[in-house]
């Protein structure tokens, strides 16, 4: 290694000494798949000022960068030859309130489910259907998280960002975010362009319960709930999720690996003539969403297990990494997802799309 290079590297690291900068750092504990990939540099930032300082440093300017939240929606397929910046901004603040609603501003680094529990304690309604979703607040708007009949966009007020190239800060309203099913402007035009630093949600003080999702209604019935409450809905959602979805602390996974595809009604008719039991949910005039989990199960993949990885036995949408069997490389899981994509195309003529970000 040339002397100037070594000096330059240590000057960069010294200048950023107030921040934790690590080298050749394993990301195994920072992604819910539990993939043991390394990054050349790793930094955790606890404030907007730290993010801006880091963005203007040579460490970030001269290296590929990746912004990491809770690591619950990524598949690492190789070591990362650049800098991973973990957003650690914490804090919850009641920004405004009236008799019916309150605005709560939350740091992007707050854990999503811990935030839901905090809302239950404070009697703030709106996020109870989104209980137990892994990941951090900052990632929630990226893919407009959704479950059991509710999507984030229904409670979203605004968010704050820092632009990666300029360091400028900008606010985005609900309309600015272009929210759609598992989608937002941050997965499209603004992909890799900015870092979400805080999210403000508009929560209800007088709850409007949403139990329209069939499985949720059934679970509440099974639990014998007579008086609906946000706590009862959260308990029911947690119970369904625990029965269907693997706990990342035990079996590595990133939740749904694929999105549910939206197909034309003519395609639906064609599929229905062969598979009359296929569930379907109309989304807009002429188009219907069908469950990818059903297609993958029908194609015979549910519960398929290879050496250290496979398709989950209770929910075919979820690909898993079994640590007890030695675990898998991210590239093995990626290859499995490729094979499934091709198989579903061949068997049903339907194109699946990954929900998880492949790095
Ligand atoms: N289904 C199967 N086999 C399977 C999985 C599902 O036949 O292996 C069928 C079910 O029987 C049901 C239908 O598919 O008729 C829907 O299943 P489920 O209620 O489990 O929901 P999903 O469409 O498979 C979506 C979200 C989940 C979310 C649930 C509940 C996507 C990609 N996934 O799954 O989100 O929890 O609805 O709202 O939209 C996530 O994003 O990580 C996630 C878990």
């Amino acid at each position: 290694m040339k002397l100037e290079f070594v000096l330059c590297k240590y000057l960069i690291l010294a200048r950023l000494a107030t921040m934790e900068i690590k080298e050749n750092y394993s990301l195994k504990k920072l992604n819910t798949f539990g993939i043991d990939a390394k990054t050349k540099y790793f930094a955790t930032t606890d404030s907007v000022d730290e993010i801006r300082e880091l963005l203007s440093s040579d460490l970030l300017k001269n290296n590929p960068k990746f912004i990491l939240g809770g690591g619950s929606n990524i598949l690492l397929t190789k070591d990362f030859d650049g800098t991973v910046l973990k957003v650690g901004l914490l804090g919850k603040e009641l920004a405004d309130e009236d008799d019916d609603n309150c605005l709560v501003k939350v740091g992007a680094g707050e854990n999503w489910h811990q935030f839901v529990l905090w809302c239950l304690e404070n009697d703030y309604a709106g996020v109870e259907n989104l209980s137990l979703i892994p990941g951090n607040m900052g990632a929630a708007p990226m893919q407009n998280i959704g479950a059991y009949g509710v999507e984030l966009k229904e409670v979203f007020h605004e968010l704050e960002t820092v632009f990666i190239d300029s360091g400028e800060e900008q606010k985005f309203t609900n309309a600015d975010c272009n929210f759609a099913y598992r989608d937002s402007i941050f997965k499209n035009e603004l992909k890799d362009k900015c870092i979400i630093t805080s999210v403000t949600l508009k929560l209800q003080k007088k709850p409007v319960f949403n139990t329209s999702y069939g499985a949720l209604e059934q679970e509440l019935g099974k639990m014998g709930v007579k008086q609906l409450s946000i706590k009862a809905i959260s308990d029911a959602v947690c119970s369904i999720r625990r029965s269907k979805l693997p706990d990342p602390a035990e079996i590595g996974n990133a939740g749904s690996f694929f999105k549910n595809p939206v197909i034309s009604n003519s395609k639906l008719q064609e599929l229905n003539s062969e598979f009359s039991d296929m569930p379907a949910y109309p989304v807009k005039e002429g188009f219907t969403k069908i469950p990818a989990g059903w297609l993958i199960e029908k194609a015979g993949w549910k519960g398929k297990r290879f050496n250290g990885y496979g398709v989950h036995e209770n929910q075919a949408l979820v690909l898993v990494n079994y640590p007890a069997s030695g675990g898998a490389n991210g590239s093995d899981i990626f290859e499995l997802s490729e094979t499934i994509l091709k198989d579903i195309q061949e068997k049903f003529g339907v194109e699946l799309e990954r929900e998880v970000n492949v790095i």
Side-chain angles (χ1 to χ4, degrees):
M1 214 184 294
K2 278 192 173 167
L3 184 61
E4 328 63 295
F5 176 76
V6 175
L7 279 176
C8 173
K9 188 171 112 181
Y10 283 99
L11 275 176
I12 292 169
L13 295 181
R15 196 155 69 78
L16 295 165
T18 53
M19 270 169 261
E20 254 191 300
I21 311 258
K22 294 178 171 140
E23 283 183 81
N24 290 324
Y25 191 70
S26 168
L27 298 169
K28 188 172 165 66
K29 295 204 169 111
L30 297 173
N31 69 102
T32 57
F33 254 123
I35 302 292
D36 193 7
K38 287 195 176 59
T39 176
K40 194 167 165 193
Y41 298 113
F42 176 81
T44 309
T45 53
D46 296 327
S47 70
V48 174
D49 285 344
E50 277 188 357
I51 290 180
R52 296 180 65 198
E53 185 186 344
L54 201 56
L55 287 176
S56 62
S57 73
D58 293 345
L59 187 66
L60 267 273
K61 283 212 179 307
N62 300 338
N63 285 294
K65 42 201 156 292
F66 175 68
I67 314 301
L68 181 67
S72 62
N73 207 38
I74 53 169
L75 176 66
L76 299 164
T77 53
K78 51 183 180 296
D79 288 345
F80 187 65
D81 189 22
T83 306
V84 169
L85 191 163
K86 179 159 170 63
V87 179
L89 289 91
L90 299 178
K92 297 184 272 293
E93 177 197 327
L94 189 62
D96 200 1
E97 65 181 320
D98 59 23
D99 288 347
D100 297 327
N101 296 99
C102 60
L103 294 182
V104 181
K105 183 175 172 181
V106 191
E110 288 283 349
N111 173 274
W112 173 265
H113 183 62
Q114 291 306 315
F115 171 71
V116 173
L117 295 179
W118 179 85
C119 291
L120 297 181
E121 270 166 31
N122 287 282
D123 266 331
Y124 297 149
V127 288
E128 56 281 0
N129 294 49
L130 303 177
S131 297
L132 219 57
I133 294 184
N136 288 355
M137 182 57 77
M142 303 271 275
Q143 52 154 347
N144 180 27
I145 56 169
Y148 305 102
V150 171
E151 286 187 341
L152 182 85
K153 68 173 184 191
E154 291 158 48
V155 289
F156 178 92
H157 179 65
E158 65 179 19
L159 59 75
E160 293 175 318
T161 60
V162 175
F163 272 74
I164 291 174
D165 283 347
S166 64
E168 273 171 31
E169 293 174 53
Q170 192 178 322
K171 280 189 182 179
F172 287 78
T173 65
N174 194 316
D176 294 336
C177 293
N178 292 349
F179 288 127
Y181 166 62
R182 293 295 195 275
D183 205 19
S184 76
I185 193 166
F186 306 104
K187 283 180 85 175
N188 296 286
E189 296 96 303
L190 294 183
K191 189 169 163 50
D192 301 329
K193 299 243 178 335
C194 53
I195 300 175
I196 295 173
T197 53
S198 79
V199 179
T200 302
L201 300 182
K202 185 175 180 179
L203 302 167
Q204 307 138 15
K205 289 179 161 179
K206 297 172 184 161
V208 182
F209 302 119
N210 182 335
T211 57
S212 58
Y213 201 89
L216 176 57
E217 217 173 5
Q218 281 162 25
E219 187 65 26
L220 287 162
K222 232 166 57 185
M223 287 164 53
V225 172
K226 303 254 162 12
Q227 182 86 41
L228 264 187
S229 65
I230 54 175
K231 172 81 171 56
I233 292 180
S234 172
D235 286 348
V237 167
C238 289
S239 164
I240 307 172
R241 288 189 76 100
R242 287 198 177 105
S243 69
K244 281 193 171 187
L245 299 165
D247 178 357
E250 286 159 22
I251 299 177
N253 75 92
S256 303
F257 198 91
F258 304 98
K259 288 190 196 181
N260 285 334
V262 173
I263 58 172
S264 69
N265 284 356
S266 57
K267 180 71 193 172
L268 178 70
Q269 267 177 9
E270 182 194 316
L271 287 173
N272 271 341
S273 62
E274 202 177 336
F275 311 102
S276 55
D277 58 333
M278 187 182 74
Y281 320 99
V283 280
K284 57 182 171 184
E285 177 98 32
F287 290 91
T288 298
K289 195 192 276 180
I290 56 171
W294 186 91
L295 296 172
I296 298 169
E297 177 173 351
K298 199 81 181 170
W301 289 99
K302 191 172 183 172
K304 275 251 159 100
R305 194 166 169 156
F306 302 90
N307 287 335
Y309 61 102
V311 179
H312 188 50
E313 56 193 4
N314 297 333
Q315 165 55 289
L317 253 190
V318 180
L319 303 189
V320 287
N321 179 23
Y322 296 107
S325 322
N329 292 320
S331 52
D332 292 334
I333 295 173
F334 178 77
E335 282 312 319
L336 172 61
S337 75
E338 280 286 284
T339 311
I340 292 174
L341 283 176
K342 283 194 195 108
D343 194 42
I344 299 301
Q345 178 70 55
E346 273 166 27
K347 291 200 166 104
F348 303 98
V350 173
E351 194 178 341
L352 291 186
E353 201 186 317
R354 288 183 190 87
E355 198 208 277
V356 166
N357 295 311
V358 178
I359 315 289

